[in-house]
Amino acid sequence: MATTPKPFARFEFMIAWRYLRAKRAEGGVSVMTWISFLGIMLAVMALIATLAVRSGFRNDFVDIILGANPHASVVPLATQLSNGRTVRAVHDYDEVAENLREVDGVIHAFPVIDGQVMAAHQGRNAGVQVIGITADNLTQIPLVAEPEVAWGNIADFGEGIAIGSGVARQLGVDVGDRIRLISPDGARTAFGTSPRINAYDVTYIFQVGRYDIDRIRVYMPFDEAQSYFNRDGVADEVQIHVEGAEDVDQMVYELTRAAGADVFIWTWRDSSGAFLQALQMEDNIMFIVLSMLVLIATMNIVSGLIMLVKNKSRDIGILRTMGLSEGSVLRIFFICGASVGVAGTLAGVALGCAFAIWIDPIFNFINLIAGGGVWDPSVRMLSTLPAELEFGDVMSAVSLSLGLSFTITYFPARRAARMNPVEALRYE
């Protein structure tokens, strides 16, 4: 009694392999097979490379935001004085900072002074953001204490000011040079408010890697900032660093209760949330566009498989006459198409991962060919092109490619299985 062979038996793979490597003179479609393979390989490589760069961009932006900025800030509510002026000030800032440090998950909490001034040096001017902070607290800001590149010594901060590399570049200064800071809200006299102009030595220059920080950031000793900005005895806000920065929104209630009344908590998501949402939307659109490229590449499998079925109609008729079932014929041609998809996907994963791993030398080579200037930090905010492979992204690309390859392959394979052997051999 004849036994039915198991699905995907060895002979099915042997026949499928013979069809794949058959020459055109033998009725094969080796050229179409190679085109399908190359198309899927390049599409998967492009998808993985794009996902890696996308992840690198987001992670670098978030790391720099969290490394150079507070995770949350205690900002006082505005108070109107008798003369009509509106001020925001934290009076008991040391007590507030101490209460915040007792909240579970808070690493650091310290008061700061925040102001906007004009910096000048030998005829060059730049608008800068001055942050007044103590030397000990400055060392608690990761990307300032250990930046991408640094000049000078952060230990000398108390003897002068620390500035970003973009500020130093625009003013043309180096460590040891002296710059002037000009504040329009200076000394109050009987004739009104006169601008305040003070000169400070540059003791430390840092580059965190994000242009909009390096270009405007200046740190000044806290006591000097209080005097310079007329903030004697008060602070503008209390900045907080927490352990789980991604979950800082869940700590807002506890932080508000610890800070006391007449304040609100401003988190890093509040300041950068719109940008992160725009970045996420762009990521989703890019994934959809590149998924369409993978779909187009897998369509080549259909073209090649339809031609293969047409060229092998005589073989199908003979195999069916010999007793081969419809299921076996379907699996043979399914293996033909799916193997191209699997091989192309694996090759694409290898090339995509290699591109993400060696992106710096590859991009430097492209920059060399283009004559330089391809990457402008002032536009892209980051000093280098980031790329970070994530297992989930690679698996998304693999699942998409294999899913489309298997789905599309099924239909021409099913057509081959349903071919009438009598019709296939009628004119032979």
Side-chain angles (χ1 to χ4, degrees):
M1 182 178 177
T3 59
T4 304
K6 295 181 179 180
F8 296 102
R10 183 179 179 184
F11 76 90
E12 295 174 354
F13 282 94
M14 292 176 60
I15 297 173
W17 173 243
R18 184 182 183 281
Y19 286 170
L20 281 174
R21 62 188 179 89
K23 298 179 181 178
R24 188 172 183 83
E26 299 174 358
V29 284
S30 58
V31 175
M32 289 300 299
T33 300
W34 280 107
I35 292 175
S36 301
F37 169 79
L38 292 175
I40 294 175
M41 178 186 71
L42 294 176
V44 172
M45 172 188 146
L47 180 58
I48 291 179
T50 303
L51 293 177
V53 172
R54 178 204 71 177
S55 298
F57 262 115
R58 186 190 184 281
N59 293 337
D60 267 27
F61 271 116
V62 172
D63 288 345
I64 291 175
I65 289 172
L66 299 180
N69 294 303
H71 302 164
S73 297
V74 175
V75 181
L77 298 178
T79 303
Q80 190 171 20
L81 303 179
S82 57
N83 59 5
R85 293 183 63 226
T86 301
V87 297
R88 295 177 182 270
V90 181
H91 295 276
D92 301 325
Y93 51 83
D94 286 331
E95 181 181 349
V96 172
E98 184 62 31
N99 292 337
L100 289 169
R101 294 189 197 104
E102 295 177 358
V103 176
D104 188 30
V106 173
I107 302 175
H108 305 292
F110 47 84
V112 299
I113 303 295
D114 191 353
Q116 310 290 328
V117 302
M118 178 72 72
H121 176 73
Q122 295 183 354
R124 296 186 178 185
N125 302 303
V128 298
Q129 175 194 23
V130 175
I131 297 179
I133 187 173
T134 64
D136 291 339
N137 291 329
L138 182 64
T139 59
Q140 303 300 326
I141 303 177
L143 286 184
V144 176
E146 297 180 3
E148 188 178 88
V149 183
W151 298 266
N153 192 343
I154 195 172
D156 298 330
F157 171 66
E159 303 172 6
I161 59 175
I163 66 176
S165 60
V167 178
R169 191 178 304 111
Q170 187 165 0
L171 296 179
V173 300
D174 202 347
V175 174
D177 291 338
R178 196 170 181 85
I179 66 174
R180 289 177 299 146
L181 298 183
I182 306 168
S183 172
D185 188 15
R188 298 184 179 89
T189 66
F191 301 98
T193 303
S194 62
R196 174 165 290 167
I197 304 175
N198 287 0
Y200 299 95
D201 293 329
V202 176
T203 59
Y204 183 64
I205 300 175
F206 57 87
Q207 177 177 312
V208 303
R210 179 161 171 168
Y211 187 80
D212 58 342
I213 294 177
D214 296 331
R215 170 63 184 75
I216 66 170
R217 190 68 59 85
V218 172
Y219 289 99
M220 179 186 291
F222 185 76
D223 294 339
E224 177 61 27
Q226 283 182 312
S227 174
Y228 182 82
F229 288 105
N230 299 320
R231 302 288 201 276
D232 294 333
V234 299
D236 288 330
E237 60 185 56
V238 177
Q239 297 185 350
I240 306 167
H241 290 258
V242 300
E243 292 179 354
E246 293 282 353
D247 302 323
V248 68
D249 290 338
Q250 301 175 10
M251 302 176 61
V252 169
Y253 174 74
E254 291 294 331
L255 294 174
T256 305
R257 189 172 65 174
D262 299 330
V263 299
F264 65 93
I265 305 298
W266 184 260
T267 70
W268 70 273
R269 289 188 181 276
D270 295 325
S271 57
S272 305
F275 172 78
L276 293 176
Q277 290 178 1
L279 190 62
Q280 184 62 46
M281 182 182 298
E282 183 182 5
D283 293 346
N284 295 335
I285 293 174
M286 288 299 297
F287 184 83
I288 293 173
V289 171
L290 291 173
S291 297
M292 293 174 65
L293 292 180
V294 178
L295 176 61
I296 294 171
T298 56
M299 292 298 291
N300 289 328
I301 298 178
V302 177
S303 303
L305 206 55
I306 291 175
M307 293 177 60
L308 181 62
V309 171
K310 183 177 180 181
N311 292 336
K312 296 298 183 180
S313 59
R314 178 174 175 271
D315 289 12
I316 295 172
I318 294 174
L319 291 173
R320 290 296 311 281
T321 303
M322 294 174 59
L324 205 64
S325 65
E326 288 186 8
S328 292
V329 175
L330 186 148
R331 288 189 292 271
I332 289 172
F333 287 95
F334 179 83
I335 292 171
C336 289
S339 59
V340 176
V342 171
T345 299
L346 294 177
V349 168
L351 289 178
C353 293
F355 179 87
I357 293 172
W358 290 294
I359 190 170
D360 287 336
I362 293 173
F363 198 82
N364 290 337
F365 178 72
I366 295 174
N367 198 41
L368 179 64
I369 294 177
V374 174
W375 188 265
D376 185 0
S378 65
V379 176
R380 295 168 177 85
M381 298 299 178
L382 297 177
S383 56
T384 58
L385 177 65
E388 185 171 329
L389 278 174
E390 294 186 358
F391 180 76
D393 290 340
V394 175
M395 291 308 299
S396 296
V398 171
S399 300
L400 177 66
S401 178
L402 293 182
L404 290 175
S405 298
F406 293 168
T407 302
I408 287 177
T409 298
Y410 173 79
F411 297 102
R414 183 169 174 266
R415 180 170 175 262
R418 292 191 171 185
M419 184 177 294
N420 190 332
V422 176
E423 294 293 333
L425 297 173
R426 174 174 293 181
Y427 300 104
E428 296 297 333

